[in-house]
Amino acid sequence: MAAVMEPVGTLDPPPTRGRRGVKRRRRFESTPYVLVIPTILVIVLTLGVPLYKIVMLAFQHQSKRQLYTNQPGDWVGFQNFSDVLSDKEFWSSVERTFIITILLVVFSMLFALGLALLLNLVSKWLRTSLMVLLLFVWAIPQIVAVELYAWFTDPNFGVVNYLLTKLGFSGFKTHDWFVNQTQGWIVIMALVIWQALPFLTVTLSAGMSMVPKELGEAARMDGANPIQVFRTVTYPTIKPLLVIATSLSVIWDFQLFGQAFVIRQNKPEPMYQVLGIFSYTEAFGHSDYGLGAAISILTILAMLGMMVFYVRQMLRIGDGDI
């Protein structure tokens, strides 16, 4: 009896169909949507309700008495926004906020990138020690860190002035670092960068550990210097992390408040007022809550623009287009 020859190639089985030859639809899974409902409710209650209150307050003039007695304010329409946009101090704080944000992001990313490169060059035990030190800095509460820097730069008992005096700079014996705007912002920026370095450095260092060592060795064997190795091998690998870290730094630094506010004893001078502090000063310092709410709304709109860029970059990274 002749053997039946099997065909060399076999076609894939047709898709499963129902009795009438119609392809079955995928079953709708409701479990993920049910599980996310509590999170959505919490976000609406904790963010949506206060945001609604701020928006309504921005179109009102409410005195301290009305606020404390829970009475509605006087409806003034867009008058608060008109007053804010015509205020020179507001535009000065906007300009100061953008300048400080740019400087903070640039220097924090450069320092973090340099430390991350250094961590990947040293031995394992030294890298572990430095990581522990960075995490210790990260664990220090913000207010405690601000008070430390305030003590470091104190005119009479500050460590910085003491060391500079011992080094022969007699002019720093009772030097006040916050009389001069530039020096004061250098101290505040040093504090903010010092607090941001742990997260940025650990993130970038983790990204660099994913770079195949064989690629770097091959590039060096071809005569590439360290800068060329970084540009052609390391940078393409960590580019998504760089984009994410930079975007987060812009968002965090744009919201600068606590460091400048506390280090100036909760009464920052006009030259140390960024948007967050300016809004707080107008609302609670001058008891003009509607004006402060209007400034907050304008700040939120600026932040939304940055969030759109951040989300766009995240989507591009998820699609593998970056």
Side-chain angles (χ1 to χ4, degrees), residues 96 176 178-179 185 188 260-261 263-274 277 281:
R96 190 177 300 112
D176 190 345
F178 293 95
V179 172
W185 273 115
I188 297 173
F261 188 79
I263 206 169
R264 296 310 302 143
Q265 291 81 43
N266 301 339
K267 295 180 180 179
E269 297 84 351
M271 59 186 176
Y272 295 112
Q273 291 191 4
V274 289
I277 297 177
T281 302

Side-chain angles (χ1 to χ4, degrees), residues 12 74 86 107 113 183 208 238 259 265 273 307 312:
D12 294 334
D74 302 323
S86 60
F107 283 108
L113 188 59
Q183 295 181 2
M208 290 179 184
I238 67 171
Q259 293 90 338
Q265 291 81 43
Q273 291 191 4
M307 286 297 297
R312 179 172 174 270

Side-chain angles (χ1 to χ4, degrees), residues 119 127-141 194-195 197-203:
L119 288 175
R127 179 168 61 251
T128 303
S129 301
L130 291 174
M131 284 289 190
V132 172
L133 181 61
L134 288 172
L135 293 176
F136 174 76
V137 173
W138 198 5
I140 298 177
W194 182 67
Q195 291 182 295
L197 276 181
F199 171 79
L200 297 176
T201 303
V202 172
T203 301

Side-chain angles (χ1 to χ4, degrees), residues 213-230:
K213 295 182 179 180
E214 296 79 8
L215 295 179
E217 294 176 357
R220 283 188 287 270
M221 289 179 63
D222 290 338
N225 56 41
I227 296 178
Q228 292 173 332
V229 173
F230 174 81

Side-chain angles (χ1 to χ4, degrees), residues 139-205:
I140 298 177
Q142 186 182 93
I143 300 301
V144 176
V146 174
E147 292 297 335
L148 283 174
Y149 268 72
W151 174 63
F152 290 158
T153 57
D154 185 86
N156 299 315
F157 308 103
V159 177
V160 177
N161 289 348
Y162 174 79
L163 293 177
L164 290 175
T165 303
K166 289 296 183 180
L167 291 174
F169 300 97
S170 58
F172 287 92
K173 187 173 183 180
T174 57
H175 179 70
D176 190 345
W177 289 85
F178 293 95
V179 172
N180 182 276
Q181 178 181 356
T182 302
Q183 295 181 2
W185 273 115
I186 289 176
V187 174
I188 297 173
M189 288 173 58
L191 169 61
V192 176
I193 294 172
W194 182 67
Q195 291 182 295
L197 276 181
F199 171 79
L200 297 176
T201 303
V202 172
T203 301
L204 296 180
S205 179

Side-chain angles (χ1 to χ4, degrees), residues 15-28:
T16 304
R17 297 178 180 272
R19 294 180 179 179
R20 297 183 180 181
V22 180
K23 189 175 181 180
R24 295 177 181 176
R25 294 184 178 180
R26 189 177 179 181
R27 184 179 179 183
F28 176 75

Side-chain angles (χ1 to χ4, degrees), residues 301-322:
L301 292 176
M303 289 294 301
L304 284 177
M306 299 179 187
M307 286 297 297
V308 168
F309 175 79
Y310 172 68
V311 173
R312 179 172 174 270
Q313 297 301 320
M314 290 293 294
L315 292 176
R316 289 182 61 190
I317 292 171
D319 294 336
D321 295 333
I322 192 166

